[in-house]
Amino acid sequence: MINRNEILQTIEMIDQQHLDIRTITMGISLLDCADEDIKRCADKIYCKITRFAADLVRTGEDIEKEYGIPIVNKRIAVSPISMVAGSCSAEDYSPLALALDRAAKAVGVNFIGGFSALVHKGFTVSDRRLISSIPQALAATERVCSSVNVATTRAGINMDAVAIMGGVIKEAAELSAGQGGMACAKLVVFANAVEDNPFMAGAFHGPGEPECVINVGVSGPGVVRNALLACNGEPFDVVAETIKKTAFRITRMGQLVAREASRRLGVPFGVVDLSLAPTPAVGDSVADILEEMGLESVGTHGTTAALALLNDAVKKGGVMASSHVGGLSGAFIPVSEDAGMIAGAERGSLTLDKLEAMTCVCSVGLDMIAVPGDTPAETIAAIIADEAAIGVVNGKTTAVRIIPAPGKTVGDRVEFGGLLGSAPVMPVHPFSSREFIARGGRIPAPLSSLKN
Amino acid sequence: MKAIVTVIGKDRVGIIAEVCAILARQGVNILDISQTVMQDYFTMIMMVDASGCAMKFSELSELLSSEGEKTGLSVRIQREEIFEAMHRI
């Protein structure tokens, strides 16, 4: 039998260290919803989502109560809409975003991802229409998330797409200026996007996925940090071992919840995503873990090494605990969603350049970063290009979710509320990248892509 | 279905009786009890069998936590599998 210390340890993790299942995400294929008439297509999308996900939220809540483990989010990822809408004759895809938003509200999920296009090698007609619909679609909806994949290790970087996304982000910010550029918090630009990511805003149901699937994302920065309190002053071997053991426990719980949700919903289990996802709550921070390793303030020298160790140990511990690991699987470093990162940025120890370096060794990228509202579109595009280059050359996923906060400048703060938190506006380099971005074309795939 | 009930709160007369009475009314059978008092704090862990319980497990969980709150106790019931998953390979 389980002994009392183990029981109390589990309860303490949940009660005091913010241990939770971050998300149960149902992936639904919408490829059979294609229709020449966009209104009919929207109706089919709404009907399919509300039919498949009717019991998702209730099942999640039941599991939560029975096992006593909070499941913070229930979400839906759908096929990239550019593929679904390919046969529509309409130019503007916003009606499909509105249908997704209505469906999300009807089934009670807080985000629905997949207003997406995969353009790493080039655009279809539909991809272009979708991308130009993004600002309007995100400003007009509350729960829809969008992502665009602009690069892969196999295909290189589509610099035309990178340039366009710089402008799309600016436009999305301006259309949602009243909420601090909130639309940009729902838009991710990827390199090497994964098809089974359960985390928002970048989740979509990839073309290689089954009809319907359940993916689960675990969390628990607070638990890892608490475990490290016991290894004060110990060498890194001990630190890595401790993180591995903790990650194993957290992931086992994720696997249990994933299996149970899959069984009750009658939907196949996909993957557990082993990510350390912070929230703005005090004590639920990835930055705190790095500081616990001995750094005075996150972003100072040593931060990249500390993050590399953390990211690797989380994967090593988690991989044995789950039958299928996938998604992004790594530590997240979203600035606005992590109280420690916010403090680091405000203190000046955490800069955009350091964050870029950190993304070389963790998932995912420059995430939830506010920059001045007057940042040129070309500068944002160049930031995306840098991040894509890191992903492409290292064969990993990278992403940019950046908010050029309208009317704000360095020193201001943008409030998004809830899990999205609040972001201090960080400075960007004042030197222009305009001519670099104006070149367009494709940056060829790296030599490391030729593996056959 | 086996489950673990944990009761944590400031020690006073009658805690065990109150919790056991609720469980008995709902047809939950107690298999094992262990309890201690540490620095005035009462901690009780019970292994129970809830297969004879008429209400849904999630309702039982809500009932226990709301009854506990009335008297300042944290009372929770969780299916045993979560502890097995976390602490046993």
Side-chain angles (χ1 to χ4, degrees), chain A residues 340-362:
Chain A
M341 295 283 177
I342 295 172
E346 285 182 335
R347 253 182 246 128
S349 64
L350 188 64
T351 61
L352 209 53
D353 289 343
K354 187 63 181 183
L355 278 163
E356 185 183 311
M358 288 160 75
T359 65
C360 299
V361 298
C362 79

Side-chain angles (χ1 to χ4, degrees), chain B residues 54-69:
Chain B
M55 54 170 47
K56 272 181 68 183
F57 194 91
S58 50
E59 289 164 2
L60 176 64
S61 159
E62 272 172 25
L63 174 75
L64 284 169
S65 88
S66 64
E67 287 296 314
E69 262 171 43

